[in-house]
Amino acid sequence: MPKNFHKIDLNDMRLFVSVVQAGSLTRASELLDVPKSHLSRHLTELENSLGTTLMDRGRRGIVLNELGRRFLHNAQEMLRLAQMAIDDIQTNLQKPNGLLRMSVSTEVGRGFLMHHLPAYFKRYPDVNVEVQIDNRKVNMIQDGIDIALRVGSINNDNVVARKLFDLELGVFASPGYLAQYGIPQTPHELYGHQLLYKYDGPEWAFQKEQHRVVIDGQHKLRTNDFNLIAQMVSEGLGIAVLPCFDNMIKEDWIKILPEWTLETVPVYVVYYKNRGATSVVRSMVDFLLDIPQKT
């Protein structure tokens, strides 16, 4: 065992995790508002105390070695437990308060979050919420985001992802469009139509009994915004796969291929492991998980 092993500082472990999450010493220095030299010195002291290097620090950022990856996982868990111990006391002394920053896509913001925020504010009047509505996947650390609502699978070992609900999808068109071009009777007949497509959205995968058909035709419109697609459906410009949010699907639209089903897409609330124990983050996570889902 290294002779300085007993001198390892919990704050050095916290700095190590912050630097790795930021991606570079320069970015971590900006986010933490501490000199880059301070971070470098404490990382070196941590490695000296452990008796091994954990990372390569180059111009292209931080690259962890095998021991570094193992240490990161355990350090995050230790910091999470330490934060839980602190917050357990604090939450008994005060109600959740302060600023909570969220990131959400436009369709989930309009179709889900906006309907429930008033109830959250009534329950937690001392919390202020800043909502960033953006269809790009933000870097939660760099953008200072506490909670994100994500659609689809989550591939990040540094975050906690709790599923809120499964988002139902449907194929829709306006009566005017279908009167002009006809109603497709099978998924394959979609190839003869004007398709409106979300390029970072779910695939057009149709299921009927044991048959599965994936459609990837010529698209009249490609975008990353379901709301734009919905507007184009209303204008009679084509056929689209859309999430079945009440305020997105218009009453006069026609649902196409009702005997075929589309795979549902999970919606998650996501937060970093070392932030989940804070009272303000936990208040929103627990609130969202408590929302009853339609059956």
Side-chain angles (χ1 to χ4, degrees), residues 42-79:
H42 280 269
L43 290 177
T44 299
E45 291 176 358
L46 175 63
E47 290 179 325
N48 289 340
S49 297
L50 291 170
T52 183
T53 58
L54 301 173
M55 63 178 72
D56 293 322
R57 290 174 251 170
R59 292 183 178 179
R60 288 183 288 182
I62 297 297
V63 178
L64 294 178
N65 57 31
E66 177 60 28
L67 289 177
R69 288 190 291 271
R70 292 172 60 182
F71 187 77
L72 173 65
H73 172 77
N74 293 323
Q76 287 177 316
E77 183 64 12
M78 180 175 290
L79 292 173

PDB file of all heavy atoms in Angstrom, residues 42-79:
ATOM      1  N   HIS A  42      -3.714  19.032  -7.673  1.00  0.00           N
ATOM      2  CA  HIS A  42      -4.465  18.118  -6.818  1.00  0.00           C
ATOM      3  C   HIS A  42      -4.663  16.750  -7.483  1.00  0.00           C
ATOM      4  O   HIS A  42      -4.694  15.724  -6.789  1.00  0.00           O
ATOM      5  CB  HIS A  42      -5.811  18.733  -6.450  1.00  0.00           C
ATOM      6  CG  HIS A  42      -5.716  19.734  -5.335  1.00  0.00           C
ATOM      7  ND1 HIS A  42      -5.861  19.386  -4.005  1.00  0.00           N
ATOM      8  CD2 HIS A  42      -5.447  21.065  -5.350  1.00  0.00           C
ATOM      9  CE1 HIS A  42      -5.707  20.456  -3.246  1.00  0.00           C
ATOM     10  NE2 HIS A  42      -5.462  21.498  -4.039  1.00  0.00           N
ATOM     11  N   LEU A  43      -4.776  16.727  -8.798  1.00  0.00           N
ATOM     12  CA  LEU A  43      -4.850  15.435  -9.480  1.00  0.00           C
ATOM     13  C   LEU A  43      -3.549  14.665  -9.337  1.00  0.00           C
ATOM     14  O   LEU A  43      -3.545  13.443  -9.142  1.00  0.00           O
ATOM     15  CB  LEU A  43      -5.195  15.640 -10.957  1.00  0.00           C
ATOM     16  CG  LEU A  43      -6.614  16.110 -11.273  1.00  0.00           C
ATOM     17  CD1 LEU A  43      -6.767  16.323 -12.776  1.00  0.00           C
ATOM     18  CD2 LEU A  43      -7.647  15.119 -10.774  1.00  0.00           C
ATOM     19  N   THR A  44      -2.439  15.390  -9.437  1.00  0.00           N
ATOM     20  CA  THR A  44      -1.135  14.748  -9.258  1.00  0.00           C
ATOM     21  C   THR A  44      -0.981  14.223  -7.837  1.00  0.00           C
ATOM     22  O   THR A  44      -0.479  13.108  -7.627  1.00  0.00           O
ATOM     23  CB  THR A  44      -0.014  15.751  -9.578  1.00  0.00           C
ATOM     24  OG1 THR A  44      -0.137  16.173 -10.949  1.00  0.00           O
ATOM     25  CG2 THR A  44       1.352  15.110  -9.376  1.00  0.00           C
ATOM     26  N   GLU A  45      -1.417  15.010  -6.843  1.00  0.00           N
ATOM     27  CA  GLU A  45      -1.341  14.556  -5.454  1.00  0.00           C
ATOM     28  C   GLU A  45      -2.198  13.313  -5.225  1.00  0.00           C
ATOM     29  O   GLU A  45      -1.809  12.392  -4.497  1.00  0.00           O
ATOM     30  CB  GLU A  45      -1.797  15.684  -4.522  1.00  0.00           C
ATOM     31  CG  GLU A  45      -0.831  16.856  -4.462  1.00  0.00           C
ATOM     32  CD  GLU A  45      -1.361  18.011  -3.611  1.00  0.00           C
ATOM     33  OE1 GLU A  45      -2.505  17.889  -3.108  1.00  0.00           O
ATOM     34  OE2 GLU A  45      -0.643  19.007  -3.447  1.00  0.00           O
ATOM     35  N   LEU A  46      -3.362  13.275  -5.867  1.00  0.00           N
ATOM     36  CA  LEU A  46      -4.234  12.111  -5.739  1.00  0.00           C
ATOM     37  C   LEU A  46      -3.558  10.873  -6.319  1.00  0.00           C
ATOM     38  O   LEU A  46      -3.551   9.800  -5.697  1.00  0.00           O
ATOM     39  CB  LEU A  46      -5.562  12.379  -6.451  1.00  0.00           C
ATOM     40  CG  LEU A  46      -6.558  11.213  -6.518  1.00  0.00           C
ATOM     41  CD1 LEU A  46      -7.009  10.818  -5.119  1.00  0.00           C
ATOM     42  CD2 LEU A  46      -7.772  11.586  -7.379  1.00  0.00           C
ATOM     43  N   GLU A  47      -2.978  11.013  -7.520  1.00  0.00           N
ATOM     44  CA  GLU A  47      -2.298   9.878  -8.144  1.00  0.00           C
ATOM     45  C   GLU A  47      -1.093   9.438  -7.330  1.00  0.00           C
ATOM     46  O   GLU A  47      -0.838   8.236  -7.189  1.00  0.00           O
ATOM     47  CB  GLU A  47      -1.889  10.254  -9.565  1.00  0.00           C
ATOM     48  CG  GLU A  47      -3.068  10.405 -10.517  1.00  0.00           C
ATOM     49  CD  GLU A  47      -2.670  10.802 -11.924  1.00  0.00           C
ATOM     50  OE1 GLU A  47      -1.690  11.582 -12.057  1.00  0.00           O
ATOM     51  OE2 GLU A  47      -3.312  10.342 -12.883  1.00  0.00           O
ATOM     52  N   ASN A  48      -0.359  10.396  -6.766  1.00  0.00           N
ATOM     53  CA  ASN A  48       0.796  10.047  -5.924  1.00  0.00           C
ATOM     54  C   ASN A  48       0.349   9.281  -4.681  1.00  0.00           C
ATOM     55  O   ASN A  48       0.997   8.323  -4.248  1.00  0.00           O
ATOM     56  CB  ASN A  48       1.557  11.301  -5.532  1.00  0.00           C
ATOM     57  CG  ASN A  48       2.317  11.913  -6.699  1.00  0.00           C
ATOM     58  OD1 ASN A  48       2.590  11.240  -7.698  1.00  0.00           O
ATOM     59  ND2 ASN A  48       2.653  13.191  -6.599  1.00  0.00           N
ATOM     60  N   SER A  49      -0.777   9.714  -4.082  1.00  0.00           N
ATOM     61  CA  SER A  49      -1.281   9.037  -2.889  1.00  0.00           C
ATOM     62  C   SER A  49      -1.735   7.622  -3.206  1.00  0.00           C
ATOM     63  O   SER A  49      -1.575   6.701  -2.402  1.00  0.00           O
ATOM     64  CB  SER A  49      -2.447   9.830  -2.280  1.00  0.00           C
ATOM     65  OG  SER A  49      -2.024  11.111  -1.849  1.00  0.00           O
ATOM     66  N   LEU A  50      -2.312   7.430  -4.407  1.00  0.00           N
ATOM     67  CA  LEU A  50      -2.763   6.104  -4.810  1.00  0.00           C
ATOM     68  C   LEU A  50      -1.622   5.218  -5.288  1.00  0.00           C
ATOM     69  O   LEU A  50      -1.743   3.997  -5.324  1.00  0.00           O
ATOM     70  CB  LEU A  50      -3.804   6.228  -5.936  1.00  0.00           C
ATOM     71  CG  LEU A  50      -5.154   6.827  -5.552  1.00  0.00           C
ATOM     72  CD1 LEU A  50      -5.982   7.106  -6.793  1.00  0.00           C
ATOM     73  CD2 LEU A  50      -5.914   5.888  -4.616  1.00  0.00           C
ATOM     74  N   GLY A  51      -0.517   5.844  -5.703  1.00  0.00           N
ATOM     75  CA  GLY A  51       0.621   5.084  -6.191  1.00  0.00           C
ATOM     76  C   GLY A  51       0.482   4.640  -7.634  1.00  0.00           C
ATOM     77  O   GLY A  51       1.146   3.682  -8.060  1.00  0.00           O
ATOM     78  N   THR A  52      -0.376   5.342  -8.418  1.00  0.00           N
ATOM     79  CA  THR A  52      -0.560   4.973  -9.824  1.00  0.00           C
ATOM     80  C   THR A  52      -1.171   6.144 -10.574  1.00  0.00           C
ATOM     81  O   THR A  52      -1.804   7.016  -9.980  1.00  0.00           O
ATOM     82  CB  THR A  52      -1.497   3.750  -9.965  1.00  0.00           C
ATOM     83  OG1 THR A  52      -1.588   3.382 -11.343  1.00  0.00           O
ATOM     84  CG2 THR A  52      -2.891   4.049  -9.447  1.00  0.00           C
ATOM     85  N   THR A  53      -0.951   6.167 -11.865  1.00  0.00           N
ATOM     86  CA  THR A  53      -1.616   7.172 -12.700  1.00  0.00           C
ATOM     87  C   THR A  53      -3.032   6.694 -13.023  1.00  0.00           C
ATOM     88  O   THR A  53      -3.287   5.497 -13.096  1.00  0.00           O
ATOM     89  CB  THR A  53      -0.857   7.416 -14.015  1.00  0.00           C
ATOM     90  OG1 THR A  53      -0.757   6.182 -14.723  1.00  0.00           O
ATOM     91  CG2 THR A  53       0.537   7.966 -13.735  1.00  0.00           C
ATOM     92  N   LEU A  54      -3.923   7.651 -13.207  1.00  0.00           N
ATOM     93  CA  LEU A  54      -5.324   7.358 -13.506  1.00  0.00           C
ATOM     94  C   LEU A  54      -5.727   7.799 -14.899  1.00  0.00           C
ATOM     95  O   LEU A  54      -6.731   7.322 -15.433  1.00  0.00           O
ATOM     96  CB  LEU A  54      -6.244   8.041 -12.481  1.00  0.00           C
ATOM     97  CG  LEU A  54      -6.035   7.658 -11.021  1.00  0.00           C
ATOM     98  CD1 LEU A  54      -6.901   8.542 -10.134  1.00  0.00           C
ATOM     99  CD2 LEU A  54      -6.368   6.191 -10.791  1.00  0.00           C
ATOM    100  N   MET A  55      -4.944   8.709 -15.487  1.00  0.00           N
ATOM    101  CA  MET A  55      -5.381   9.313 -16.741  1.00  0.00           C
ATOM    102  C   MET A  55      -4.196   9.867 -17.513  1.00  0.00           C
ATOM    103  O   MET A  55      -3.108  10.062 -16.961  1.00  0.00           O
ATOM    104  CB  MET A  55      -6.356  10.457 -16.448  1.00  0.00           C
ATOM    105  CG  MET A  55      -5.714  11.606 -15.659  1.00  0.00           C
ATOM    106  SD  MET A  55      -6.850  12.988 -15.354  1.00  0.00           S
ATOM    107  CE  MET A  55      -7.924  12.242 -14.133  1.00  0.00           C
ATOM    108  N   ASP A  56      -4.449  10.117 -18.788  1.00  0.00           N
ATOM    109  CA  ASP A  56      -3.540  10.895 -19.632  1.00  0.00           C
ATOM    110  C   ASP A  56      -4.165  12.263 -19.830  1.00  0.00           C
ATOM    111  O   ASP A  56      -5.341  12.375 -20.175  1.00  0.00           O
ATOM    112  CB  ASP A  56      -3.321  10.207 -20.974  1.00  0.00           C
ATOM    113  CG  ASP A  56      -2.569   8.897 -20.828  1.00  0.00           C
ATOM    114  OD1 ASP A  56      -1.660   8.842 -19.998  1.00  0.00           O
ATOM    115  OD2 ASP A  56      -2.924   7.938 -21.537  1.00  0.00           O
ATOM    116  N   ARG A  57      -3.381  13.310 -19.624  1.00  0.00           N
ATOM    117  CA  ARG A  57      -3.899  14.671 -19.760  1.00  0.00           C
ATOM    118  C   ARG A  57      -3.225  15.314 -20.964  1.00  0.00           C
ATOM    119  O   ARG A  57      -2.125  15.852 -20.871  1.00  0.00           O
ATOM    120  CB  ARG A  57      -3.607  15.483 -18.503  1.00  0.00           C
ATOM    121  CG  ARG A  57      -4.398  15.053 -17.291  1.00  0.00           C
ATOM    122  CD  ARG A  57      -3.960  15.804 -16.050  1.00  0.00           C
ATOM    123  NE  ARG A  57      -3.226  14.955 -15.119  1.00  0.00           N
ATOM    124  CZ  ARG A  57      -2.572  15.396 -14.072  1.00  0.00           C
ATOM    125  NH1 ARG A  57      -2.519  16.677 -13.824  1.00  0.00           N
ATOM    126  NH2 ARG A  57      -1.934  14.557 -13.279  1.00  0.00           N
ATOM    127  N   GLY A  58      -3.878  15.237 -22.115  1.00  0.00           N
ATOM    128  CA  GLY A  58      -3.314  15.781 -23.340  1.00  0.00           C
ATOM    129  C   GLY A  58      -4.116  16.943 -23.870  1.00  0.00           C
ATOM    130  O   GLY A  58      -5.087  17.406 -23.272  1.00  0.00           O
ATOM    131  N   ARG A  59      -3.702  17.424 -25.032  1.00  0.00           N
ATOM    132  CA  ARG A  59      -4.395  18.553 -25.647  1.00  0.00           C
ATOM    133  C   ARG A  59      -5.824  18.208 -26.025  1.00  0.00           C
ATOM    134  O   ARG A  59      -6.693  19.069 -26.080  1.00  0.00           O
ATOM    135  CB  ARG A  59      -3.636  19.015 -26.892  1.00  0.00           C
ATOM    136  CG  ARG A  59      -2.273  19.651 -26.579  1.00  0.00           C
ATOM    137  CD  ARG A  59      -1.621  20.140 -27.854  1.00  0.00           C
ATOM    138  NE  ARG A  59      -0.338  20.794 -27.583  1.00  0.00           N
ATOM    139  CZ  ARG A  59       0.444  21.297 -28.523  1.00  0.00           C
ATOM    140  NH1 ARG A  59       0.067  21.215 -29.803  1.00  0.00           N
ATOM    141  NH2 ARG A  59       1.584  21.871 -28.194  1.00  0.00           N
ATOM    142  N   ARG A  60      -6.080  16.937 -26.312  1.00  0.00           N
ATOM    143  CA  ARG A  60      -7.418  16.524 -26.728  1.00  0.00           C
ATOM    144  C   ARG A  60      -8.303  16.139 -25.552  1.00  0.00           C
ATOM    145  O   ARG A  60      -9.387  15.612 -25.738  1.00  0.00           O
ATOM    146  CB  ARG A  60      -7.325  15.381 -27.734  1.00  0.00           C
ATOM    147  CG  ARG A  60      -6.813  15.828 -29.091  1.00  0.00           C
ATOM    148  CD  ARG A  60      -6.785  14.690 -30.096  1.00  0.00           C
ATOM    149  NE  ARG A  60      -5.712  13.735 -29.815  1.00  0.00           N
ATOM    150  CZ  ARG A  60      -5.435  12.678 -30.561  1.00  0.00           C
ATOM    151  NH1 ARG A  60      -6.164  12.423 -31.624  1.00  0.00           N
ATOM    152  NH2 ARG A  60      -4.447  11.873 -30.244  1.00  0.00           N
ATOM    153  N   GLY A  61      -7.851  16.441 -24.332  1.00  0.00           N
ATOM    154  CA  GLY A  61      -8.686  16.219 -23.169  1.00  0.00           C
ATOM    155  C   GLY A  61      -8.205  15.080 -22.294  1.00  0.00           C
ATOM    156  O   GLY A  61      -7.060  14.633 -22.379  1.00  0.00           O
ATOM    157  N   ILE A  62      -9.105  14.598 -21.434  1.00  0.00           N
ATOM    158  CA  ILE A  62      -8.802  13.575 -20.446  1.00  0.00           C
ATOM    159  C   ILE A  62      -9.098  12.183 -21.019  1.00  0.00           C
ATOM    160  O   ILE A  62     -10.174  11.953 -21.575  1.00  0.00           O
ATOM    161  CB  ILE A  62      -9.655  13.790 -19.180  1.00  0.00           C
ATOM    162  CG1 ILE A  62      -9.301  15.140 -18.525  1.00  0.00           C
ATOM    163  CG2 ILE A  62      -9.467  12.648 -18.205  1.00  0.00           C
ATOM    164  CD1 ILE A  62      -7.884  15.222 -18.032  1.00  0.00           C
ATOM    165  N   VAL A  63      -8.142  11.272 -20.870  1.00  0.00           N
ATOM    166  CA  VAL A  63      -8.339   9.882 -21.269  1.00  0.00           C
ATOM    167  C   VAL A  63      -7.987   9.000 -20.077  1.00  0.00           C
ATOM    168  O   VAL A  63      -6.830   8.971 -19.636  1.00  0.00           O
ATOM    169  CB  VAL A  63      -7.471   9.502 -22.486  1.00  0.00           C
ATOM    170  CG1 VAL A  63      -7.689   8.035 -22.833  1.00  0.00           C
ATOM    171  CG2 VAL A  63      -7.783  10.396 -23.666  1.00  0.00           C
ATOM    172  N   LEU A  64      -8.984   8.294 -19.535  1.00  0.00           N
ATOM    173  CA  LEU A  64      -8.767   7.440 -18.375  1.00  0.00           C
ATOM    174  C   LEU A  64      -8.157   6.112 -18.804  1.00  0.00           C
ATOM    175  O   LEU A  64      -8.508   5.574 -19.861  1.00  0.00           O
ATOM    176  CB  LEU A  64     -10.083   7.167 -17.657  1.00  0.00           C
ATOM    177  CG  LEU A  64     -10.787   8.352 -16.994  1.00  0.00           C
ATOM    178  CD1 LEU A  64     -12.098   7.891 -16.381  1.00  0.00           C
ATOM    179  CD2 LEU A  64      -9.906   8.984 -15.929  1.00  0.00           C
ATOM    180  N   ASN A  65      -7.247   5.586 -17.958  1.00  0.00           N
ATOM    181  CA  ASN A  65      -6.793   4.219 -18.165  1.00  0.00           C
ATOM    182  C   ASN A  65      -7.731   3.278 -17.418  1.00  0.00           C
ATOM    183  O   ASN A  65      -8.735   3.708 -16.844  1.00  0.00           O
ATOM    184  CB  ASN A  65      -5.329   4.052 -17.726  1.00  0.00           C
ATOM    185  CG  ASN A  65      -5.118   4.445 -16.264  1.00  0.00           C
ATOM    186  OD1 ASN A  65      -6.013   4.302 -15.434  1.00  0.00           O
ATOM    187  ND2 ASN A  65      -3.930   4.940 -15.957  1.00  0.00           N
ATOM    188  N   GLU A  66      -7.415   1.982 -17.411  1.00  0.00           N
ATOM    189  CA  GLU A  66      -8.315   1.009 -16.799  1.00  0.00           C
ATOM    190  C   GLU A  66      -8.516   1.276 -15.309  1.00  0.00           C
ATOM    191  O   GLU A  66      -9.642   1.250 -14.803  1.00  0.00           O
ATOM    192  CB  GLU A  66      -7.761  -0.405 -16.999  1.00  0.00           C
ATOM    193  CG  GLU A  66      -8.581  -1.506 -16.331  1.00  0.00           C
ATOM    194  CD  GLU A  66     -10.019  -1.572 -16.838  1.00  0.00           C
ATOM    195  OE1 GLU A  66     -10.271  -1.188 -18.001  1.00  0.00           O
ATOM    196  OE2 GLU A  66     -10.895  -1.992 -16.064  1.00  0.00           O
ATOM    197  N   LEU A  67      -7.423   1.563 -14.589  1.00  0.00           N
ATOM    198  CA  LEU A  67      -7.552   1.868 -13.164  1.00  0.00           C
ATOM    199  C   LEU A  67      -8.327   3.159 -12.956  1.00  0.00           C
ATOM    200  O   LEU A  67      -9.090   3.295 -11.994  1.00  0.00           O
ATOM    201  CB  LEU A  67      -6.162   1.966 -12.524  1.00  0.00           C
ATOM    202  CG  LEU A  67      -5.396   0.650 -12.357  1.00  0.00           C
ATOM    203  CD1 LEU A  67      -4.011   0.908 -11.774  1.00  0.00           C
ATOM    204  CD2 LEU A  67      -6.179  -0.296 -11.441  1.00  0.00           C
ATOM    205  N   GLY A  68      -8.136   4.109 -13.853  1.00  0.00           N
ATOM    206  CA  GLY A  68      -8.861   5.371 -13.758  1.00  0.00           C
ATOM    207  C   GLY A  68     -10.361   5.183 -13.903  1.00  0.00           C
ATOM    208  O   GLY A  68     -11.159   5.807 -13.198  1.00  0.00           O
ATOM    209  N   ARG A  69     -10.766   4.316 -14.840  1.00  0.00           N
ATOM    210  CA  ARG A  69     -12.195   4.054 -15.023  1.00  0.00           C
ATOM    211  C   ARG A  69     -12.796   3.376 -13.792  1.00  0.00           C
ATOM    212  O   ARG A  69     -13.919   3.692 -13.375  1.00  0.00           O
ATOM    213  CB  ARG A  69     -12.417   3.194 -16.274  1.00  0.00           C
ATOM    214  CG  ARG A  69     -12.173   3.957 -17.583  1.00  0.00           C
ATOM    215  CD  ARG A  69     -12.628   3.140 -18.782  1.00  0.00           C
ATOM    216  NE  ARG A  69     -11.783   1.979 -19.013  1.00  0.00           N
ATOM    217  CZ  ARG A  69     -10.697   1.987 -19.774  1.00  0.00           C
ATOM    218  NH1 ARG A  69     -10.302   3.101 -20.375  1.00  0.00           N
ATOM    219  NH2 ARG A  69      -9.990   0.876 -19.948  1.00  0.00           N
ATOM    220  N   ARG A  70     -12.051   2.445 -13.207  1.00  0.00           N
ATOM    221  CA  ARG A  70     -12.544   1.785 -12.001  1.00  0.00           C
ATOM    222  C   ARG A  70     -12.623   2.765 -10.838  1.00  0.00           C
ATOM    223  O   ARG A  70     -13.591   2.767 -10.075  1.00  0.00           O
ATOM    224  CB  ARG A  70     -11.631   0.600 -11.653  1.00  0.00           C
ATOM    225  CG  ARG A  70     -11.695  -0.543 -12.662  1.00  0.00           C
ATOM    226  CD  ARG A  70     -10.644  -1.594 -12.395  1.00  0.00           C
ATOM    227  NE  ARG A  70     -10.768  -2.196 -11.073  1.00  0.00           N
ATOM    228  CZ  ARG A  70      -9.940  -3.107 -10.588  1.00  0.00           C
ATOM    229  NH1 ARG A  70      -8.919  -3.531 -11.336  1.00  0.00           N
ATOM    230  NH2 ARG A  70     -10.121  -3.603  -9.385  1.00  0.00           N
ATOM    231  N   PHE A  71     -11.623   3.621 -10.723  1.00  0.00           N
ATOM    232  CA  PHE A  71     -11.610   4.599  -9.640  1.00  0.00           C
ATOM    233  C   PHE A  71     -12.750   5.599  -9.807  1.00  0.00           C
ATOM    234  O   PHE A  71     -13.390   6.009  -8.835  1.00  0.00           O
ATOM    235  CB  PHE A  71     -10.266   5.323  -9.600  1.00  0.00           C
ATOM    236  CG  PHE A  71     -10.111   6.237  -8.418  1.00  0.00           C
ATOM    237  CD1 PHE A  71      -9.836   5.726  -7.158  1.00  0.00           C
ATOM    238  CD2 PHE A  71     -10.240   7.612  -8.557  1.00  0.00           C
ATOM    239  CE1 PHE A  71      -9.696   6.557  -6.058  1.00  0.00           C
ATOM    240  CE2 PHE A  71     -10.103   8.452  -7.482  1.00  0.00           C
ATOM    241  CZ  PHE A  71      -9.832   7.924  -6.215  1.00  0.00           C
ATOM    242  N   LEU A  72     -13.022   6.003 -11.060  1.00  0.00           N
ATOM    243  CA  LEU A  72     -14.113   6.942 -11.316  1.00  0.00           C
ATOM    244  C   LEU A  72     -15.439   6.370 -10.824  1.00  0.00           C
ATOM    245  O   LEU A  72     -16.213   7.061 -10.156  1.00  0.00           O
ATOM    246  CB  LEU A  72     -14.201   7.251 -12.806  1.00  0.00           C
ATOM    247  CG  LEU A  72     -15.401   8.103 -13.246  1.00  0.00           C
ATOM    248  CD1 LEU A  72     -15.319   9.499 -12.653  1.00  0.00           C
ATOM    249  CD2 LEU A  72     -15.478   8.165 -14.766  1.00  0.00           C
ATOM    250  N   HIS A  73     -15.704   5.117 -11.173  1.00  0.00           N
ATOM    251  CA  HIS A  73     -16.967   4.493 -10.765  1.00  0.00           C
ATOM    252  C   HIS A  73     -17.103   4.493  -9.245  1.00  0.00           C
ATOM    253  O   HIS A  73     -18.148   4.878  -8.693  1.00  0.00           O
ATOM    254  CB  HIS A  73     -17.024   3.063 -11.301  1.00  0.00           C
ATOM    255  CG  HIS A  73     -18.192   2.278 -10.787  1.00  0.00           C
ATOM    256  ND1 HIS A  73     -19.466   2.447 -11.279  1.00  0.00           N
ATOM    257  CD2 HIS A  73     -18.281   1.335  -9.795  1.00  0.00           C
ATOM    258  CE1 HIS A  73     -20.297   1.645 -10.627  1.00  0.00           C
ATOM    259  NE2 HIS A  73     -19.598   0.964  -9.737  1.00  0.00           N
ATOM    260  N   ASN A  74     -16.064   4.077  -8.536  1.00  0.00           N
ATOM    261  CA  ASN A  74     -16.126   3.995  -7.075  1.00  0.00           C
ATOM    262  C   ASN A  74     -16.135   5.381  -6.427  1.00  0.00           C
ATOM    263  O   ASN A  74     -16.807   5.584  -5.402  1.00  0.00           O
ATOM    264  CB  ASN A  74     -14.947   3.175  -6.544  1.00  0.00           C
ATOM    265  CG  ASN A  74     -15.034   1.714  -6.944  1.00  0.00           C
ATOM    266  OD1 ASN A  74     -16.132   1.144  -6.990  1.00  0.00           O
ATOM    267  ND2 ASN A  74     -13.911   1.091  -7.252  1.00  0.00           N
ATOM    268  N   ALA A  75     -15.409   6.327  -7.025  1.00  0.00           N
ATOM    269  CA  ALA A  75     -15.395   7.682  -6.478  1.00  0.00           C
ATOM    270  C   ALA A  75     -16.772   8.326  -6.599  1.00  0.00           C
ATOM    271  O   ALA A  75     -17.237   9.001  -5.677  1.00  0.00           O
ATOM    272  CB  ALA A  75     -14.349   8.531  -7.203  1.00  0.00           C
ATOM    273  N   GLN A  76     -17.435   8.125  -7.721  1.00  0.00           N
ATOM    274  CA  GLN A  76     -18.785   8.677  -7.896  1.00  0.00           C
ATOM    275  C   GLN A  76     -19.748   8.093  -6.873  1.00  0.00           C
ATOM    276  O   GLN A  76     -20.580   8.813  -6.319  1.00  0.00           O
ATOM    277  CB  GLN A  76     -19.286   8.399  -9.312  1.00  0.00           C
ATOM    278  CG  GLN A  76     -18.614   9.238 -10.379  1.00  0.00           C
ATOM    279  CD  GLN A  76     -19.098   8.869 -11.769  1.00  0.00           C
ATOM    280  OE1 GLN A  76     -19.220   7.693 -12.104  1.00  0.00           O
ATOM    281  NE2 GLN A  76     -19.367   9.864 -12.584  1.00  0.00           N
ATOM    282  N   GLU A  77     -19.625   6.803  -6.633  1.00  0.00           N
ATOM    283  CA  GLU A  77     -20.505   6.173  -5.650  1.00  0.00           C
ATOM    284  C   GLU A  77     -20.228   6.705  -4.250  1.00  0.00           C
ATOM    285  O   GLU A  77     -21.164   6.965  -3.475  1.00  0.00           O
ATOM    286  CB  GLU A  77     -20.325   4.658  -5.690  1.00  0.00           C
ATOM    287  CG  GLU A  77     -21.245   3.878  -4.765  1.00  0.00           C
ATOM    288  CD  GLU A  77     -22.707   4.023  -5.136  1.00  0.00           C
ATOM    289  OE1 GLU A  77     -23.004   4.529  -6.232  1.00  0.00           O
ATOM    290  OE2 GLU A  77     -23.565   3.648  -4.317  1.00  0.00           O
ATOM    291  N   MET A  78     -18.952   6.906  -3.909  1.00  0.00           N
ATOM    292  CA  MET A  78     -18.605   7.431  -2.602  1.00  0.00           C
ATOM    293  C   MET A  78     -19.123   8.860  -2.432  1.00  0.00           C
ATOM    294  O   MET A  78     -19.686   9.219  -1.381  1.00  0.00           O
ATOM    295  CB  MET A  78     -17.081   7.403  -2.401  1.00  0.00           C
ATOM    296  CG  MET A  78     -16.634   7.947  -1.039  1.00  0.00           C
ATOM    297  SD  MET A  78     -14.852   7.776  -0.793  1.00  0.00           S
ATOM    298  CE  MET A  78     -14.727   5.989  -0.614  1.00  0.00           C
ATOM    299  N   LEU A  79     -18.966   9.679  -3.477  1.00  0.00           N
ATOM    300  CA  LEU A  79     -19.459  11.046  -3.401  1.00  0.00           C
ATOM    301  C   LEU A  79     -20.985  11.081  -3.310  1.00  0.00           C
ATOM    302  O   LEU A  79     -21.553  11.925  -2.609  1.00  0.00           O
ATOM    303  CB  LEU A  79     -18.995  11.834  -4.630  1.00  0.00           C
ATOM    304  CG  LEU A  79     -17.493  12.111  -4.725  1.00  0.00           C
ATOM    305  CD1 LEU A  79     -17.159  12.750  -6.069  1.00  0.00           C
ATOM    306  CD2 LEU A  79     -17.037  13.009  -3.580  1.00  0.00           C
TER     307      LEU A  79
END
